[in-house]
Amino acid sequence: MGRTLVDSKQSLMAAFIFFALCAFALVPSQATAQVTNDFVPGEVIVKLKSQPSSSGAQRFMGKATSLKGLQLRRSWSGINMHKFAAKPTASGSPDVQALVRELQADPEVEFAEPNYYVRAQSSGVEREITAQEFQTMAVEGVMSQTNAHIAAEAAWSILTPGQDAIVVAIIDTGLDYNHSVFVNSSAVWQNPLEVAGNGIDDDGNGYVDDVRGWNFVANSASPMDDDGHGTHVAGIVLGVTQNIQANPISQANIKIMPLKFLDGSGVGTTSDAIEAIYYASNNGAKVLNNSWGGGGYSQALVDAINYAYTKKVVFVAAAGNAANNNDANPTYPANYAFPNLISVAATNDWDSLASFSNFGQSSVHMGSPGVSILSTLPNNTYGYANGTSMATPFVSGLAALMLRESPTMNGYQIKQLILSAIDASSALTARVSTSGRLNVLTSVQKAQTTDPDPTMPAYTGSSAGAERAPAAAQMAGGCGLVGRSILELRNGGGSGPSATPMRNLAFFGLLMVLMAPVLISILLRKEGARNNRRYDRFQIASDVRVRVGDRELVGQVSSISLGGVQLNADAWLEHGGIVTMQIVSPDGQDAIKVEGKVVWCEEQKRYGVAFQNAEEGALAAISRWTQGLLKI
Ligand code: CA
């Protein structure tokens, strides 16, 4: 337990609630054990506890280079992470695992980990066609990226004219920006402040001559695609937003920012992924397409995605192509539970799960076409390809269209709208959390008719302190509740994010939870709404800690009733489920055990844990304990 935890305990003398787990386990320890040897020889990613300019950080840097023989290769100051390379030893590459353990033990180090490999999530090109064949198909009216009824063309007819194009980062193998679809169009992002070829970092973003993105593999200004995967993905993104048969495109609705981090074999590293995410987030991309995955759980990658979350982007990730249940065996980054992250499975023309596609009733959000998808390929050709890599860019393109209609919406709201606008398919029941496939028209309509909501769940997924939490969410009052709650994910043992100003009202002090996440379904949300207002609810404000594997959530709980406790905890509760709580009274003399179900109150947009099958004795105890608390 961290210091603040103990302080809280002392000051509040409050109760401990132990949630112990639930169905559909998605336990991080499984994740860390998943892949152990698939990493770059000799490289480590290190996050320091103190800022780069601090004496502690400088002391570490000195130690790392002089004593440990490490060479600093990259730094990402905004997230205080660095990549080091170890000098080869006489016997070959150094032992990365041993180096990680050594670094973990350093008092200046928050965490250290290997630099995992990741890979493109497609199963290759099924069939190539020439530009001439493509144009013939277009004239004959048979050209379509997918035969699934996603209603993209219907959406184009209702778009608001004159809106600014939204930038979509394609974090992939690059882009053939000389392809006829892209070369003369306005569909490729141009860095407005960079002058091409003058050898100067004109905009001071750390990259010289990055006029249209970056190549993190070669560390060059040319993100040219030497594989084809990224060009295919980019063509899908663009093709969702407008007719790519119109050649050249005079006025693009989106702009592709090609960020090449996968090499010509479709293989990349976590550190380059981090750098690409960092670049995209800092240079104006609003949607990040991630048709790649693999490697073990990476706290470094989580921190990078969290950085993107604070920038309010939409992060779309491929669920993977191993016909795997991601609830049981996580695929990263798709399984990271960020409120702005959409995990996408591949479906066929009939809205059934593709045979190769990963799935997960809890961890995969939606289906999207990923079988025989027609798109652009390098050297002015086209082709059909399969994969969740192909399914993901449909969602990215859709997100960009929605943001084009409503530019101030954040990634969290866009995700909520897309998931609420799916076309249900019985074949996807229990395969993805929404049991449906994207619908472009319905989603765009929702973006046009829904007011932008700046609310974002507080969530860092991070081991860092509260200073790096997203802007404190302006939570709507929930289910008659007063006050708000903050929750963030961190490694165990850190200091708490905030001292509650309402401690005099505190009833429950600490909430220790062991739970495994399950995605809350639309059905569950409705049920949650129904479950509210059945009991008198009492206002409390107390610290809450949620332990998930080796990580820990920290936040506040805001109310209690005979029906359950109320949290505003999208960070973990969006992956809700059944939890068992052990509640100890403030004086430590009394304890009850209650089973609860994570629910969503649509009216107030809050999560809670509704008690289920609570014994009379337990409810009587709560009645006793709540005497004297403010009813709300
Ligand atoms: Ca630059």
Side-chain angles (χ1 to χ4, degrees):
M1 282 185 188
R3 184 180 54 78
T4 301
L5 190 62
V6 175
D7 290 349
S8 299
K9 183 180 176 183
Q10 290 169 340
S11 63
L12 294 168
M13 289 305 289
F16 293 80
I17 302 175
F18 291 91
F19 291 116
L21 161 29
C22 63
F24 306 111
L26 175 61
V27 183
S29 58
Q30 289 179 316
T32 51
Q34 187 184 33
V35 177
T36 54
N37 294 315
D38 193 24
F39 48 72
V40 183
E43 292 190 355
V44 289
I45 300 173
V46 177
K47 177 161 185 160
L48 298 180
K49 289 176 180 171
S50 49
Q51 292 301 308
S53 58
S54 69
S55 58
Q58 290 172 5
R59 195 163 51 242
F60 173 82
M61 289 297 181
K63 238 181 344 188
T65 52
S66 63
L67 295 181
K68 302 183 194 300
L70 298 176
Q71 296 173 324
L72 180 64
R73 291 290 171 82
R74 298 272 174 84
S75 283
W76 305 285
S77 58
I79 44 181
N80 204 19
M81 280 198 298
H82 314 274
K83 185 177 85 170
F84 292 93
K87 288 176 184 164
T89 63
S91 56
S93 290
D95 183 341
V96 166
Q97 300 284 31
L99 180 58
V100 164
R101 285 193 296 274
E102 183 186 343
L103 288 165
Q104 291 275 30
D106 191 295
E108 298 295 339
V109 171
E110 188 165 307
F111 66 76
E113 62 183 46
N115 187 13
Y116 291 110
Y117 287 116
V118 297
R119 291 172 174 81
Q121 295 280 23
S122 84
S123 50
V125 174
E126 188 179 74
R127 180 164 67 89
E128 283 191 47
I129 57 178
T130 65
Q132 189 175 8
E133 288 172 309
F134 181 79
Q135 290 305 328
T136 303
M137 293 169 69
V139 169
E140 293 174 350
V142 296
M143 178 266 159
S144 178
Q145 294 198 290
T146 174
N147 291 322
H149 297 149
I150 63 173
E153 291 183 30
W156 301 342
S157 64
I158 65 165
L159 296 180
T160 307
Q163 296 289 94
D164 288 340
I166 299 299
V167 180
V168 181
I170 309 292
I171 301 174
D172 213 287
T173 63
L175 172 71
D176 180 1
Y177 41 81
N178 293 325
H179 194 290
S180 62
V181 166
F182 297 105
V183 68
N184 290 319
S185 75
S186 56
V188 179
W189 176 72
Q190 298 287 314
N191 185 346
L193 301 175
E194 196 75 14
V195 178
N198 68 352
I200 297 170
D201 180 15
D202 301 282
D203 64 349
N205 68 352
Y207 299 87
V208 174
D209 295 338
D210 57 322
V211 290
R212 59 163 78 84
W214 195 254
N215 181 334
F216 299 96
V217 178
N219 200 27
S220 80
S222 172
M224 179 54 73
D225 189 1
D226 55 358
D227 175 80
H229 187 267
T231 301
H232 201 270
V233 166
I236 297 169
V237 172
L238 185 60
V240 177
T241 66
Q242 61 197 110
N243 180 9
I244 60 172
Q245 296 170 33
N247 199 355
I249 295 168
S250 56
Q251 187 64 47
N253 286 331
I254 62 156
K255 292 185 181 301
I256 301 290
M257 176 191 281
L259 300 176
K260 178 176 175 57
F261 90 106
L262 299 173
D263 65 17
S265 305
V267 179
T269 66
T270 295
S271 68
D272 282 345
I274 290 168
E275 189 147 355
I277 292 167
Y278 195 65
Y279 181 102
S281 304
N282 286 337
N283 288 278
K286 294 300 179 191
V287 181
L288 276 54
N289 188 91
N290 299 276
S291 293
W292 52 273
Y297 177 91
S298 167
Q299 185 63 50
L301 187 53
V302 166
D303 277 26
I305 299 172
N306 178 64
Y307 185 76
Y309 181 53
T310 66
K311 299 292 185 180
K312 303 179 180 175
V313 305
V314 185
F315 193 99
V316 191
N321 301 333
N324 168 63
N325 183 350
N326 282 3
D327 291 356
N329 299 296
T331 297
Y332 301 111
N335 269 70
Y336 296 130
F338 281 91
N340 65 333
L341 188 153
I342 307 174
S343 173
V344 183
T347 50
N348 60 23
D349 290 350
W350 302 275
D351 301 332
S352 294
L353 193 72
S355 58
F356 56 79
S357 180
N358 288 3
F359 57 93
Q361 187 173 13
S362 304
S363 55
V364 180
H365 299 110
M366 63 188 295
S368 177
V371 178
S372 292
I373 304 303
L374 176 60
S375 186
T376 46
L377 286 171
N379 304 316
N380 227 19
T381 62
Y382 300 80
Y384 293 88
N386 302 318
T388 51
S389 276
M390 282 64 245
T392 301
F394 279 102
V395 180
S396 294
L398 168 58
L401 271 190
M402 296 166 72
L403 282 166
R404 183 179 172 278
E405 293 298 315
S406 188
T408 61
M409 283 186 176
N410 60 43
Y412 170 64
Q413 187 176 16
I414 293 290
K415 173 183 173 181
Q416 301 302 313
L417 292 179
I418 290 175
L419 297 191
S420 69
I422 53 96
D423 281 346
S425 166
S426 58
L428 294 176
T429 301
R431 309 303 260 177
V432 297
S433 67
T434 58
S435 305
R437 180 260 300 141
L438 92 164
N439 184 304
V440 180
L441 175 62
T442 316
S443 298
V444 169
Q445 285 172 328
K446 288 218 171 196
Q448 290 175 330
T449 56
T450 306
D451 289 335
D453 180 355
T455 302
M456 292 206 314
Y459 184 63
T460 68
S462 170
S463 55
E467 70 275 6
R468 293 199 325 100
Q474 297 171 13
M475 299 298 185
C479 298
L481 301 180
V482 177
R484 67 175 195 190
S485 56
I486 299 171
L487 197 67
E488 63 176 3
L489 180 60
R490 63 175 56 216
N491 275 346
S495 61
S498 60
T500 168
M502 302 168 73
R503 282 188 173 175
N504 58 330
L505 293 173
F507 176 68
F508 295 106
L510 300 168
L511 189 58
M512 295 293 294
V513 179
L514 282 166
M515 67 168 286
V518 171
L519 183 72
I520 251 177
S521 67
I522 299 298
L523 182 65
L524 193 54
R525 290 175 178 230
K526 287 176 182 169
E527 186 170 340
R530 283 201 304 272
N531 280 347
N532 287 301
R533 298 181 183 280
R534 287 172 55 192
Y535 303 101
D536 288 340
R537 185 160 286 279
F538 298 90
Q539 178 184 4
I540 63 169
S542 61
D543 293 348
V544 50
R545 289 192 171 229
V546 182
R547 184 164 288 280
V548 184
D550 60 346
R551 294 174 291 162
E552 192 169 70
L553 296 157
V554 181
Q556 293 175 318
V557 60
S558 54
S559 81
I560 178 81
S561 78
L562 291 178
V565 292
Q566 194 78 49
L567 307 167
N568 207 339
D570 294 25
W572 53 282
L573 289 177
E574 87 164 341
H575 294 272
I578 306 298
V579 296
T580 302
M581 298 171 282
Q582 182 180 356
I583 308 173
V584 182
S585 64
D587 59 8
Q589 301 300 308
D590 198 5
I592 59 171
K593 271 193 177 178
V594 195
E595 189 175 75
K597 183 178 188 180
V598 177
V599 294
W600 170 257
C601 172
E602 182 63 32
E603 180 191 354
Q604 299 294 345
K605 294 188 167 42
R606 277 179 182 253
Y607 288 94
V609 179
F611 296 150
Q612 284 194 318
N613 309 316
E615 294 177 359
E616 277 187 26
L619 298 177
I622 293 175
S623 294
R624 257 189 338 268
W625 300 347
T626 52
Q627 286 170 13
L629 289 178
L630 180 63
K631 192 191 295 183
I632 52 181

